[in-house]
Amino acid sequence: FLDLTMEYYRSDMQSDTVVIAFYDVTDLIEAQFQQTKFLANVSHELKTPLTSIIGFTDTLLDDQTMPEEVKREFLDIIAHESKRLLDLTNDILSVIKIEDKVLPLVKIDVDQVVQTILKAQSQAIETKNLRLELMANLQIEYYLEPLQQILSNLISNAIKYNKKNGLLRIRVERIGQRIKISVKDTGLGIASNAQNQIFDRFYRVNKARNQQIPGTGLGLSIVHEWVDKLHGTINVKSQVSVGTTIKIDLPIK
Ligand code: ADP
C-alpha cells in the first residue's frame, strides 16, 4: 500500500515546483488489519459463553417449577461457561501485553517452575494416568514470566491432548548460551496441514473442538509471541494419533 502526498511550491524567480512523495504504508495497514481482526475475534469468542450464561440464567429465573436435576445441569453449564470466560480474559490479556512488556532478569529454579505447573494440573495427569519423564534440573538467570507461560501452555496442551496411559516428557536444559525446551506427548497429534496454523490466535484444530477439549485457541499464539520477542525458535514434530513434540530454543544474552 502506498500513501501519497503532493506539495506545490510557487516561486517568483524560478519555475513552480511540485513535490510528490510516496510512502510505503503496507506494514501499517497490515497491523491495522490484524488489530481489527483480533478485536472481531475477541468479541465473538467472549459473546459465545456470555450468551449461554445469560440464556441459562434467564431460564432458571423464569421457570419456578424446574426439577432440581435440570436446575443443577443448568448451573453446571453456567459455571463451565464462566470458567471459560475467565480463561479467555486471562489469555487475551496475556496476548495484549506481550509486545510492550519490560522483562526483568531474575534467578530461576526451572525445576521448581515446572513442579508448580505440574501441581496445578495434577488432577488431569492422574485422571489420564500419564507417565511423567522430567528433566529440568537447571538454575538460570532469565525472564520468569515468558518462561513460565511457555512451559505452562506447552505442558497443559501435552496433558489435554494426550491419551490415557500416555507419556508426558518435559526437558529443559542449557546448552552453551541457549535454553532448550522440549515437551513431548503421545496423544492426538496434529495433521501436517494444520501445523503451521496452530500458532494463529484463536485457531483450534477441529478435533479439539469436536472432542470438547476445553481451550481458548490462544495458548500457542502466546508461546509464539514470547519466542519471537526473545529471538528464539520453535520446532513442531507431530503425527496424528501418535503424538507431538514441541521444541523451543531461546538464546541467553
Ligand atoms: P487451545 O486453547 O485450543 O489448546 P492452543 O493455541 O494452545 O489452543 O493450541 C491450538 C490448537 O493446536 C489446539 O486447539 C489443538 O487443536 C492443537 N494442539 C496444540 N497442542 C497440541 C498437542 N500437544 N497435541 C495435539 N494438538 C495440539
Side-chain angles (χ1 to χ4, degrees), residues 7 14 22 40 49 51 64 68 70 77 90 101 116 121 125 176 179-180 189 204 213-215 218 229 236 244 247 252:
E7 284 173 31
Q14 299 154 2
F22 293 95
T51 309
Q64 304 296 331
E68 274 309 308
V70 181
I77 297 173
N90 283 334
K101 191 97 194 182
T116 309
Q121 314 238 13
I125 297 175
I179 302 171
K180 303 225 173 228
R204 302 198 75 207
I213 299 171
L218 284 171
K229 188 178 165 85
V236 181
T244 304
K247 288 187 178 171
I252 305 173

Side-chain angles (χ1 to χ4, degrees), residues 52-53 56 72-82:
S52 163
I53 291 168
F56 283 103
R72 176 88 225 162
E73 194 188 318
F74 282 13
L75 285 170
D76 277 345
I77 297 173
I78 293 171
H80 179 264
E81 293 299 307
S82 307

